[in-house]
Amino acid sequence: MIDWSNVTAAGPQEPGRKPEELQKSKCVLGFVPVVYYSILLCVGVPVNLLTAVALSRLACRTKKALYYYLLAVTCSDILSQLFIIFVGFLLETAVFHRDVPLLLLHSVSAAEFAANHASIWSTVPLTVDRYVALCHPLLHRQISYPARARRIIAAVLALSVASGVPFFWWSDMWRNSHPPGALDAVLIWTHVTIIYFLPCSIFLVLNSLIIHTLRAGRREGERGPEPAPPRRLGKTTAMLLAITSAFSVLWAPRTAVVIYHLHVSSVHRDWRVHLAYDLSNMLAMLNTAVNFFLYCFVSKPFRGAVRDVVLLRGAALYARRTAPHAQAAMNASITSLYGGNHKRSQQDSAPLSPHRAGKPP
């Protein structure tokens, strides 16, 4: 059913090419990728849909920007699973053997990269939001609200679609027999910068600042005249660290293999590079299905929302109008909860004046 060699489109052999340059590497995994991606798709899409519904309920109920960012990450993961796993790996490779019109092949490639970029970069505003909430809580009260979160998410999705357009000319690593050229080098380095080096640098810097702030707050509490409760690593912050760490670990092998393919030996010629590329792709795509389990492990409200969805309960869907001073007090309580400082929580939870509470944050 499937020819797992690096099948090149039928046509005359390229003049001046040596036989060893035209040799095709074999996929030693056989049917394993098809089974793996089928299982990943059958598990990943349902759990991500369940996650999206649960996060939608939490977003409607709490009006917190956090859940809008998590919802954007989940929807982007669903698009990645549909475009990359279902269309790219299963339909094109396993069913049609990549024997599809070239224009369609390149169009799907651009859509795959756009979905991939959206999935990764939707985590960046979430990281920034958590950093501001913990390190600058007063500023967080002013700038973090659902309307702004939706605008930021829309901007990220638009930029992701635009960033996928250049990859219409992405070279198929399994299919092309010629070594990577200048255009391939530009696209590969652009790709690894967008999907790994740049977001990971942002995650590393902001997460380091968050941990530094927590440690500094703990030291200040110990040195104060009165013992203060230590600033703990909140569940939301722990979830953020888990999400970004999982991404950094799961995507690192693919980034290394792509750079190796460019500068050392191509996937087409070396079966070992082919094997490494297959395995690294499988590992990277696992990242689209693990967030649900991280949310369930860390967040009690999320587990409750999932339980309501599974049991077909609709009581969680409500949105009450609260008085301006009560809404301000609730927002202050949420901010102080993320900060983890009990004293700051008591101060910020005080109702604002009617004049200030009547204005949007």
Side-chain angles (χ1 to χ4, degrees), residues 61 83 131 141 227 267-268 274:
R61 183 183 3 169
F83 280 111
Y131 162 74
R141 291 177 57 188
V267 171
H268 182 88
H274 189 164

Side-chain angles (χ1 to χ4, degrees), residues 20-75:
E20 59 270 16
E21 292 179 344
L22 297 175
Q23 185 180 2
K24 302 167 186 175
S25 63
K26 294 287 185 180
C27 177
V28 298
L29 293 178
F31 286 88
V32 172
V34 174
V35 175
Y36 173 82
Y37 287 125
S38 299
I39 295 175
L40 187 61
L41 194 67
C42 292
V43 174
V45 171
V47 299
N48 277 328
L49 290 175
L50 178 59
T51 303
V53 176
L55 290 174
S56 299
R57 292 190 170 196
L58 289 172
C60 293
R61 183 183 3 169
T62 63
K63 304 298 181 183
K64 289 162 57 176
L66 165 70
Y67 293 118
Y68 288 92
Y69 291 130
L70 293 176
L71 182 60
V73 174
T74 302
C75 293

Side-chain angles (χ1 to χ4, degrees), residues 1-2 57 60-61 79 92 134 137 140 185-186 199 205 208 244 273 326:
M1 185 181 86
I2 302 173
R57 292 190 170 196
C60 293
R61 183 183 3 169
L79 292 177
E92 288 183 358
L134 183 63
H140 184 262
V186 171
V205 171
S208 299
T244 54
V273 183

Side-chain angles (χ1 to χ4, degrees), residues 133-149:
L134 183 63
C135 301
H136 307 281
L138 296 180
L139 177 62
H140 184 262
R141 291 177 57 188
Q142 300 174 7
I143 66 174
S144 181
Y145 50 91
R148 173 168 287 179

Side-chain angles (χ1 to χ4, degrees), residues 68-78 119 122-123 126 291 295:
Y68 288 92
Y69 291 130
L70 293 176
L71 182 60
V73 174
T74 302
C75 293
S76 301
D77 284 341
I78 294 174
S119 176
S122 295
T123 313
L126 170 65
N291 287 341
Y295 301 161

Side-chain angles (χ1 to χ4, degrees), residues 4-6 24-29 174 257 266-268 270-279:
W4 284 105
S5 63
N6 285 334
K24 302 167 186 175
S25 63
K26 294 287 185 180
C27 177
V28 298
L29 293 178
W174 285 293
V257 172
S266 69
V267 171
H268 182 88
D270 192 338
W271 69 269
R272 291 165 296 186
V273 183
H274 189 164
L275 174 62
Y277 192 56
D278 283 337
L279 293 175

Side-chain angles (χ1 to χ4, degrees), residues 4 34 37-38 40-42 45 77-101 103-113 115 172 174 285:
W4 284 105
V34 174
Y37 287 125
S38 299
L40 187 61
L41 194 67
C42 292
V45 171
D77 284 341
I78 294 174
L79 292 177
S80 296
Q81 290 173 337
L82 294 180
F83 280 111
I84 300 176
I85 298 178
F86 179 67
V87 178
F89 288 122
L90 294 180
L91 285 185
E92 288 183 358
T93 302
V95 177
F96 298 114
H97 310 279
R98 299 187 181 271
D99 188 17
V100 295
L103 178 62
L104 178 60
L105 188 67
H106 285 291
S107 300
V108 171
S109 177
E112 290 173 355
F113 280 96
D172 191 336
W174 285 293
M285 287 299 100

Side-chain angles (χ1 to χ4, degrees), residues 253-271:
R254 185 183 185 278
T255 303
V257 172
V258 170
I259 297 175
Y260 188 90
H261 159 82
L262 174 62
H263 293 288
V264 181
S265 181
S266 69
V267 171
H268 182 88
R269 292 182 55 187
D270 192 338
W271 69 269

